[in-house]
Amino acid sequence: MINRRDFMMGTGAVTLTWLPGCATVAAPDATKTPVAAAVSASFVKPVSSLTLVGVPPIEQAIADRVVKYSDFRGKAFRGWHPNGRSMLVNYREKNTAQMWTLDQPMGELRTLTDYAEPVRGASYERKDGKYVIFARDAGGSEATQIYRMDLPGKAVTQLTDSSMRHEWQGFNRAENRCLVSSTQLDKTAAGGTRKEVTTELTLIDPMNPGSSKLIASLPGGGWGDFDFSGDDAMIVCQNYKSANESEIYLLNVTEGKRTLLLGAVGSKAVSYSDVAFAGDDRGVFLTTDGDGEFKQLQYYDLATRQFTSLSADIPWDVSGLVLSRDRSRAVFTVNEDGRSRSYLLDAVSRKRLPMPALPKGEVSPAAFSPDGKFLALIAGSAQGPAETWTLEVATGRLTQWTQAFKNGLDTSGFKESQIIRYKSFDGLSVSALMVLPPDRFKGPRPVLIDIHGGPEGQSTSGFMGRENYLVNELGIALLLPNVRGSSGYGKTFIALDNGYKREDSVKDIGALLDWIATQPQLDAKRVAVEGGSYGGYMSLAVATTYNDRIRCSIDIVGISNFVTFLEKTESYRRDLRRVEYGDERDPAMRRFLNEISPLTNAHKIKKPLMVVQGRNDPRVPWQEADQIVAAVNKNNVPVWYVTAENEGHGFAKKDNADYLFYMRIKFFEAYLLGA
C-alpha cells in the first residue's frame, strides 16, 4: 500500500457543535438546530464522536456515490500458530481492525478479538498456542496495554500497569517469558510534563504476571529492536537518537548492565537498525549506513569487531530483515526507489540464495513458520489491499491464504503510480509518485499534492484505498512528493531539512508547483495540498508560502507551531523530535521556530482550509489544531474543522474516517474542481 500514514481509515458522523475560540465561523444552517440538520433525510447522519465547526451538512448523495470506494478491507498475516498450519490475521469486519484466526488457505476467518478500539497485532504462545498476547490502547491515546487471552475460552487478563505506555517486544528464546518495554506518560507527572523519561525493560511470565522481573531502566524513549541470544543471557538492542544516528547495545539480562557495542565514531553519526543475533551468537545481523549513503545489511563479528557487507552491490536502503527461528534462513527487503524487492539468504554461510517468484505488487515478508519451511507474505498492489500468501521456501510454491474485500468494485483498471522527478530551487533532484485519472477525463486535470508525515517517512507505490475515488470518479491527479528529509534516498538527503533547513522542504513543493505548470495534462490553476502529521505542517506551510498558487489546503493532525508542539508532545518523544526540528529551549532556535511556524504566518492563508484532529493525540496535541483554526478564522475565509473525541494521531475508526472522506469530497468539489 502507499507507505504513508493513512489518516482516512474509518467512517464517521458528527455532532454539529461549536468549539471554544471559533465563534467567528458561521453555523452550517442558522435556521435549524444541529440535531435537526443531522436527521434530515437528505444529509448523512453524523455520529456523536465527531465535532464539526464551519462544516456544512454532507448530502446523502455524496455518501451514496462513494460507498463502493469506502470499504476496502485487507487481510494481513500477523503470526503463526505453533503447529505451523494456522495463523493470526488482521482484518476489519466492522468499525475497527481486529485479530482473527485462520486454519487453512482461503478458509473462514474466526473472530479472536472484538473491541471498539483497534487491535493490530498479536502473538500465539510459542509452544502449544494455549493463549494469545495482544496489545490495545484507548481512543488513539497510544497508552498501549498488553493482554493475555486464554484459549479456547477467550478469558482476558491485563499484564501491564495502566499508568505507563507499553510495547510488546516478543518472547525469549526459551519461549517461557515475554519482554515488554515501558515508558512513563505525562499524565502521571507533576505539572503534566517530564524533563526526563526512561524505558523500563521487564521480563513477564504471561501466566504469572506478578512474578515480573525488571531487567533495566534505560535513559530516553528511543529503545527498540530487542533480540535475545540463544541462551537468553544477553539482549542486543538499538537506542534510536535520530534518523541519522543510533547506537547498538548488549544488555546482560541477569545484571541489567549494558555495554555499548556500536555508536558514533568521533563526530560521524551512523544509523543502525534491524539488529538480531546470528544462530551461533558469535555475531549480529544489522543494517547500517556506516559505509555509504544507503543502509546495507551487514554481519558484525562480536569477537573481531569486523563488518561483512551482505548487500554492498545494492544501491538502495535495506528496509527490513526477517530471520527463521533457528536462524538458518533470512529474507531482507530493499526499498528500490519506493518499490520493494526481497532477497533470500543462507544465514549460516551468509550467502545469497535464489529468490523464488513472489506475488505481484508490493510484497512484505512477515515471518517464517516455526519449522522454517514456509514464509508468510503480505502482498498488495495498486489493484487491491493486503492479502496473505505463503511461500514454501524449498520448492518456491506460492499459496494464497486470504482474499481482500473490495466491496464488489472492479479494481483491475486502477492505475499504477509513476515516478516523476524535478529540480528544486538549489538543483537537488526530488521525486514524487503521480497517479493520473483515466483517459476519459479530458483537458488539464486538477491536482492534489498529498505530503507524507515523518518527516522521515516515504510515499511508496501500492494501494491507495479511498483515494482511488478522487482519481477515477472526480478526475483529480494525485502527486505524492518525497521532499528532502524523506527516507529511502540516502542519509544525506534525509538530513537536508533538519533544524535551520526546515523551510527548504517547503521550497521543494514550490518547485513542484513550477513543474506542474509545465505539464499539459495538469492544471496549475487548480491545485490543492494536504498532509498528515508533519505533512500537515507542510500543508499549512505551503498555504502560507504559496497561497496565490493553490486553491485550498487540508491539515490533518499537523504541527502549527513548532515551539508549542515541542512543549506539549509526550515527553517520551520530545528529545527525539528536538534532534529533527531543533531545541526550542535555545533562544536563537526558538526565535527561528516561531518565525517559520504556520501559526505566526496564519494571516497569509487566504484560501479555504480544512483542519482535522484527534482529541487524544499524544504526538501532535489538539491545541495545535485549535490555535491555527482560531488564527485563520480572522482572515474571513472558509475554515472547516473536525475533531474526534475517540481518536488520536489520525482516524482509525471507519465511521469517523468515512465522514471525513465525505467532507474532503465536498471540500474539493466546492474549492478545487470548479473553473
Side-chain angles (χ1 to χ4, degrees):
M1 59 184 295
I2 291 283
N3 186 20
R4 55 194 171 87
R5 181 68 183 255
D6 184 0
F7 295 91
M8 319 303 174
M9 295 175 47
T11 330
V14 212
T15 302
L16 303 180
T17 56
W18 296 102
L19 286 185
C22 299
T24 59
V25 182
D29 186 343
T31 66
K32 297 182 179 181
T33 66
V35 173
V39 299
S40 173
S42 60
F43 297 103
V44 179
K45 182 181 179 180
V47 293
S48 59
S49 58
L50 300 183
T51 299
L52 297 181
V53 180
V55 181
I58 305 298
E59 294 83 357
Q60 183 62 44
I62 290 178
D64 293 342
R65 292 203 314 266
V66 308
V67 63
K68 286 192 175 182
Y69 285 87
S70 63
D71 202 17
F72 299 111
R73 306 183 211 164
K75 300 175 182 177
F77 171 90
R78 286 297 183 263
W80 288 100
H81 189 281
N83 64 21
R85 299 184 300 275
S86 304
M87 61 177 63
L88 295 169
V89 172
N90 196 227
Y91 172 63
R92 179 191 56 74
E93 181 184 52
K94 303 174 185 176
N95 200 37
T96 59
Q98 299 294 321
M99 298 307 304
W100 303 69
T101 59
L102 180 61
D103 295 330
Q104 62 184 11
M106 306 304 286
E108 181 181 358
L109 291 176
R110 292 183 290 114
T111 304
L112 185 67
T113 65
D114 186 13
Y115 295 105
E117 303 295 341
V119 178
R120 298 184 179 91
S123 177
Y124 275 112
E125 180 267 325
R126 300 287 284 271
K127 293 183 178 179
D128 305 307
K130 61 184 179 182
Y131 61 80
V132 166
I133 301 293
F134 68 93
R136 177 169 56 89
D137 72 358
S141 66
E142 300 184 25
T144 305
Q145 303 301 313
I146 311 298
Y147 302 86
R148 183 193 79 232
M149 176 183 283
D150 298 324
L151 301 176
K154 296 187 179 180
V156 173
T157 302
Q158 184 170 327
L159 303 179
T160 49
D161 176 4
S162 297
S163 68
M164 300 182 73
R165 172 184 181 270
H166 308 276
E167 291 190 37
W168 161 260
Q169 302 294 348
F171 284 97
N172 61 359
R173 298 284 281 278
E175 301 178 345
N176 60 2
R177 298 290 187 275
C178 62
L179 185 68
V180 172
S181 62
S182 310
T183 51
Q184 300 87 6
L185 296 170
D186 283 348
K187 66 181 181 180
T188 62
T193 188
R194 294 178 181 275
K195 291 184 178 180
E196 296 180 357
V197 297
T198 59
T199 298
E200 296 184 359
L201 284 186
T202 305
L203 267 182
I204 297 178
D205 178 352
M207 297 304 297
N208 184 19
S211 65
S212 301
K213 175 188 175 183
L214 178 66
I215 297 177
S217 185
L218 307 173
W223 296 85
D225 276 0
F226 299 97
D227 188 59
F228 285 90
S229 60
D231 60 3
D232 286 328
M234 303 294 291
I235 293 174
V236 64
C237 58
Q238 174 203 181
N239 182 22
Y240 177 94
K241 292 181 173 293
S242 73
N244 288 92
E245 182 179 3
S246 51
E247 301 168 333
I248 301 297
Y249 282 85
L250 284 175
L251 181 67
N252 184 294
V253 174
T254 301
E255 301 174 358
K257 180 181 178 181
R258 67 182 184 275
T259 303
L260 179 64
L261 186 64
L262 293 165
V265 180
S267 60
K268 180 184 178 183
V270 178
S271 176
Y272 301 99
S273 58
D274 297 299
V275 61
F277 278 106
D280 58 8
D281 291 341
R282 295 179 179 177
V284 295
F285 294 102
L286 51 79
T287 62
T288 177
D289 60 11
D291 289 342
E293 280 293 318
F294 294 96
K295 285 188 175 182
Q296 298 178 18
L297 178 63
Q298 303 254 10
Y299 172 79
Y300 181 73
D301 189 294
L302 294 174
T304 66
R305 295 186 175 270
Q306 296 296 310
F307 285 97
T308 302
S309 178
L310 308 178
S311 65
D313 58 316
I314 303 172
W316 297 102
D317 278 340
V318 174
S319 55
L321 174 67
V322 176
L323 283 160
S324 61
R325 290 194 187 180
D326 64 3
R327 313 284 166 127
S328 66
R329 288 286 186 272
V331 171
F332 66 94
T333 303
V334 173
N335 174 358
E336 296 185 353
D337 207 6
R339 292 178 166 84
S340 63
R341 182 177 178 183
S342 297
Y343 297 81
L344 185 63
L345 187 74
D346 183 318
V348 178
S349 68
R350 300 189 287 279
K351 302 295 184 183
R352 243 178 267 169
L353 301 171
M355 187 70 192
L358 299 181
K360 293 182 180 180
E362 293 299 302
V363 179
S364 299
F368 285 92
S369 58
D371 60 10
K373 293 181 179 179
F374 297 91
L375 177 65
L377 307 168
I378 302 172
S381 69
Q383 287 75 46
E387 296 175 338
T388 296
W389 295 67
T390 58
L391 169 70
E392 189 172 16
V393 179
T395 66
R397 181 169 63 94
L398 285 169
T399 302
Q400 185 173 356
W401 278 67
T402 68
Q403 187 170 42
F405 178 82
K406 302 178 184 178
N407 206 22
L409 191 64
D410 181 6
T411 62
S412 60
F414 285 8
K415 285 190 174 182
E416 299 281 352
S417 61
Q418 56 183 291
I419 298 175
I420 64 101
R421 290 182 172 84
Y422 62 95
K423 294 291 185 181
S424 192
F425 70 98
D426 56 356
L428 181 73
S429 178
V430 178
S431 67
L433 299 180
M434 182 170 68
V435 184
L436 293 175
D439 293 340
R440 71 176 186 275
F441 290 98
K442 305 301 182 183
R445 304 314 309 156
V447 179
L448 172 60
I449 300 174
D450 191 343
I451 308 171
H452 66 69
E456 307 95 339
Q458 183 187 16
S459 291
T460 60
S461 60
F463 190 60
M464 298 190 304
R466 292 178 175 86
E467 306 302 276
N468 284 292
Y469 181 85
L470 306 180
V471 176
N472 296 326
E473 306 300 335
L474 297 185
I476 297 173
L478 287 185
L479 281 170
L480 298 101
N482 284 311
V483 297
R484 67 190 69 205
S486 303
S487 61
Y489 304 95
K491 64 185 181 185
T492 299
F493 191 89
I494 203 173
L496 289 177
D497 66 341
N498 289 357
Y500 289 106
K501 304 174 185 175
R502 180 61 45 203
E503 289 189 300
D504 288 354
S505 60
V506 181
K507 294 176 184 176
D508 288 343
I509 302 299
L512 180 58
L513 293 171
D514 293 340
W515 180 86
I516 290 170
T518 68
Q519 305 302 305
Q521 74 271 41
L522 304 179
D523 188 348
K525 296 180 179 179
R526 292 189 293 169
V527 177
V529 61
E530 73 174 5
S533 191
Y534 176 76
Y537 153 73
M538 287 288 290
S539 178
L540 291 171
V542 170
T544 62
T545 308
Y546 303 106
N547 177 79
D548 59 335
R549 303 181 67 182
I550 65 171
R551 284 283 191 93
C552 55
S553 59
I554 301 178
D555 158 32
I556 304 173
V557 296
I559 300 165
S560 63
N561 182 286
F562 285 110
V563 172
T564 57
F565 157 71
L566 289 167
E567 290 176 340
K568 290 185 171 66
T569 191
E570 271 284 342
S571 295
Y572 64 83
R573 306 184 67 256
R574 186 171 295 119
D575 285 341
L576 303 176
R577 295 297 83 199
R578 281 171 173 158
V579 176
E580 172 69 35
Y581 299 124
D583 192 333
E584 84 287 359
R585 296 168 298 183
D586 174 77
M589 178 56 72
R590 189 181 187 91
R591 285 193 298 272
F592 172 75
L593 291 175
N594 270 317
E595 287 171 1
I596 69 168
S597 288
L599 185 64
T600 303
N601 299 284
H603 60 280
K604 300 177 183 177
I605 299 179
K606 304 291 186 175
K607 300 295 176 59
L609 171 67
M610 180 191 294
V611 177
V612 181
Q613 182 66 47
R615 295 289 289 188
N616 303 316
D617 192 341
R619 303 186 182 205
V620 180
W622 58 267
Q623 291 92 339
E624 293 298 302
D626 261 21
Q627 62 193 15
I628 194 67
V629 168
V632 179
N633 277 338
K634 298 175 183 178
N635 299 345
N636 196 29
V637 296
V639 180
W640 297 16
Y641 186 22
V642 56
T643 60
E645 295 295 328
N646 59 350
E647 299 281 12
H649 199 58
F651 285 11
K653 297 178 174 65
K654 186 178 185 300
D655 56 359
N656 292 333
D658 274 353
Y659 200 90
L660 174 57
F661 190 55
Y662 307 153
M663 284 176 55
R664 291 173 66 230
I665 292 170
K666 188 174 181 69
F667 190 74
F668 291 142
E669 289 180 341
Y671 303 119
L672 175 65
L673 299 183

